[in-house]
Amino acid sequence: QVQLVESGGGLVQAGESLRLSCAASRSIFSTNDLDWYRQAPGKQREWVARLTVSGNTYFVDSVKGRFTISRDNAKRTVYLQMNSLKAEDTAVYYCKIFSSDVWGQGTQVTVSS
């Protein structure tokens, strides 16, 4: 079974940027859509973004215009570029293969105001 590993989280100040990575153990992103989710303390997990096989991207309204998503098939990695971060973006971020129940372990993003 494929494994996903997120990285790139950290502590930043409001207005700064982070780039999260989701690395797969084998080449899957050319044949599978990839979702990013996040879960803030005390809240339910929330869908954030999707990158489709065809390259289309979709975002939750709260991050539109600030987040972008891309992939590097050669590196088996999908990236979530997060700009103009806000305190409300603080959460554990997870990547997930759309058509399966395969999740990464998550990476913590903390935005201080």
Side-chain angles (χ1 to χ4, degrees):
Q1 183 175 355
V2 65
Q3 293 182 325
L4 301 175
V5 178
E6 300 96 334
S7 62
L11 172 63
V12 297
Q13 294 191 341
E16 294 184 340
S17 299
L18 279 174
R19 188 179 76 162
L20 305 185
S21 299
C22 173
S25 57
R26 58 181 173 85
S27 181
I28 58 167
F29 297 131
S30 59
T31 55
N32 290 271
D33 295 354
L34 191 284
D35 285 336
W36 283 95
Y37 286 78
R38 65 186 179 186
Q39 188 165 20
K43 295 187 177 181
Q44 291 189 332
R45 195 168 293 188
E46 171 190 40
W47 173 82
V48 175
R50 175 173 297 161
L51 175 62
T52 69
V53 169
S54 59
N56 293 322
T57 58
Y58 303 92
F59 300 93
V60 68
D61 286 347
S62 59
V63 308
K64 284 181 181 177
R66 300 188 296 121
F67 289 13
T68 59
I69 187 170
S70 61
R71 69 174 172 241
D72 185 331
N73 288 335
K75 295 183 178 179
R76 306 192 305 270
T77 300
V78 171
Y79 303 99
L80 184 68
Q81 178 67 43
M82 308 186 297
N83 299 326
S84 302
L85 282 162
K86 303 176 181 180
E88 50 263 44
D89 295 319
T90 294
V92 178
Y93 284 71
Y94 302 87
C95 58
K96 177 186 176 296
I97 299 169
F98 171 69
S99 57
S100 78
D101 197 31
V102 176
W103 293 82
Q105 84 291 348
T107 185
Q108 176 71 49
V109 172
T110 303
V111 184
S112 66
S113 56

